[in-house]
Amino acid sequence: MRAQHVNPFIDSVKLVFETMLGTQVAIAKPRIKTDDQPSYDVTGIIALSGEAVGSVAVSFPMDTAIKCVEAFSGMPVEEPDDNFTDAIGELANMIAGNAKKDLENLKVNISVPTVIVGQGHRLGRHQLGPWIVLECTSPHGPFNLEMCVVEVAAAVAGGA
């Protein structure tokens, strides 16, 4: 995965959190996910297709997810429900959608979000290559943005 595939997601997560949640995000240096570390409790996943393929996941501890959904919706969250998972999916959708426009002029489609809620779930290894992890912190708490994005020509040639 190349820097020009990571940078749009860095910019996008900052923009989405600033505009939709009214908060700043600090992002650690990208790293390759090398272990079988569990994802956080709540994960929104978007698949990419077209001239670049892969997946993007935004993963939160439950406390952070609740605070983010409350900031996003302007309403208190008593317990995770359909509105909660819809809000997490929409945050993932906005991050992926905003980033896709800056992916080196590649034509990329994004899927409908899938949201997983539950302790100890894991993002499995991607067949296209390793996950890149961006560890993020905000006033609402920590979260990760994890991605594997490969241009189709590179995937076909085995250059993932």
Side-chain angles (χ1 to χ4, degrees), residues 47-88:
L48 306 175
S49 62
E51 295 177 353
V53 295
S55 300
V56 178
V58 59
S59 189
F60 304 92
M62 183 60 75
D63 290 347
T64 302
I66 288 171
K67 290 175 186 172
C68 287
V69 169
E70 288 177 341
F72 180 54
S73 69
M75 298 172 51
V77 174
E78 299 298 323
E79 62 181 65
D81 60 9
D82 290 344
N83 291 327
F84 173 83
T85 56
D86 286 349
I88 294 295

Side-chain angles (χ1 to χ4, degrees), residues 125-140:
R125 295 193 55 80
H126 210 293
Q127 64 185 1
L128 298 171
W131 286 94
I132 302 297
V133 178
L134 300 173
E135 294 174 349
C136 305
T137 55
S138 78
H140 302 302

